[in-house]
């Protein structure tokens, strides 16, 4: 089953925790960069275009290994939170208006604060980027997912969007790509 809620509850809780508590030793560059980060930029209200373009860059066009993804995200200005969550998952944040990126061995997601126009832009992006995408009925265990599409075959990728209310007031919008073995190796 596809588990959007699990991704959100694990990574979302970590990302919303005190940033300094998740950054590791105080002598690391990551600690100091995250310590200086504006809290509103953990899940910023990314514009609809920035939101889907960032998802496309990292989760669709990005590399197929977690190690290569780490390098790409760091070169793009992202810093990982120290805490990991299930299946080797990590949350990467950047101190600007780009969404957080959450990756694990089976999924990659962009997560941002809700903003007008995101849902429509995500739907148009999915329809254009994946013209053969098939909507999935709500009987699937979607754990809060608003919409799910299957893309490709053997096995298909799942692309989903969801709204999630985290421990801090305010809704988050997520677009997720999930597939067993999405990332080929470490």
């Amino acid at each position: 089953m596809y588990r959007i809620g699990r991704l959100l509850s694990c990574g979302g809780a970590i990302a919303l925790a005190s940033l300094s508590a998740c950054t590791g030793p105080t002598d690391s560059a990551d600690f100091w960069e995250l310590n200086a980060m504006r809290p509103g930029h953990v899940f910023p209200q990314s514009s609809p275009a920035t939101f889907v373009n960032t998802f496309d860059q990292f989760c669709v066009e990005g590399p197929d290994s977690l190690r290569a993804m780490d390098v790409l995200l760091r070169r793009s200005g992202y810093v990982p939170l120290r805490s990991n969550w299930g299946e080797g998952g990590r949350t990467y944040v950047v101190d600007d208006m780009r969404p957080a990126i959450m990756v694990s061995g089976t999924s990659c997601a962009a997560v941002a604060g809700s903003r007008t126009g995101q849902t429509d832009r995500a739907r148009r992006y999915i329809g254009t980027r994946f013209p053969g995408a098939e909507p999935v009925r709500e009987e699937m265990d979607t754990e809060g997912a608003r919409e799910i599409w299957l893309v490709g075959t053997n096995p298909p990728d799942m692309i989903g969007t969801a709204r999630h209310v985290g421990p801090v007031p305010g809704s988050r919008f997520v677009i997720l790509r999930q597939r067993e073995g999405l990332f080929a190796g470490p």
Side-chain angles (χ1 to χ4, degrees), residues 85-180:
W85 43 272
E87 301 170 10
R90 287 195 101 169
T91 301
Y92 291 81
V93 296
V94 64
D95 197 8
D96 59 27
M97 296 308 288
R98 290 177 288 169
I101 299 295
M102 299 173 72
V103 296
S104 76
T106 61
S107 60
C108 181
V111 185
S114 290
R115 183 172 172 177
T116 59
Q118 289 170 328
T119 302
D120 180 63
R121 183 66 179 246
R123 285 179 186 147
R124 286 187 290 125
Y125 162 79
I126 291 166
T128 302
R129 184 70 162 95
F130 306 102
E134 296 181 29
V136 177
R137 297 199 184 270
E138 299 248 347
E139 291 103 39
M140 203 167 208
D141 178 15
T142 59
E143 297 184 5
R146 295 184 63 94
E147 298 176 281
I148 295 177
W149 296 266
L150 296 180
V151 178
T153 58
N154 295 328
D157 283 7
M158 184 275 298
I159 305 292
T161 61
R163 295 265 175 212
H164 176 71
V165 178
V168 172
S171 176
R172 309 288 177 248
F173 186 59
V174 178
I175 185 168
L176 169 95
R177 176 182 177 205
Q178 186 171 10
R179 167 180 81 217
E180 288 302 318

Side-chain angles (χ1 to χ4, degrees), residues 53-115:
N53 291 340
T54 303
F55 173 77
D56 191 69
Q57 175 187 4
F58 296 112
C59 297
V60 177
E61 292 293 327
D64 63 357
S65 80
L66 290 173
R67 186 169 296 135
M69 180 64 87
D70 180 74
V71 169
L72 176 62
L73 285 161
R74 284 178 175 276
R75 286 184 180 160
S76 300
Y78 281 82
V79 178
L81 297 178
R82 179 187 53 144
S83 301
N84 291 339
W85 43 272
E87 301 170 10
R90 287 195 101 169
T91 301
Y92 291 81
V93 296
V94 64
D95 197 8
D96 59 27
M97 296 308 288
R98 290 177 288 169
I101 299 295
M102 299 173 72
V103 296
S104 76
T106 61
S107 60
C108 181
V111 185
S114 290
R115 183 172 172 177

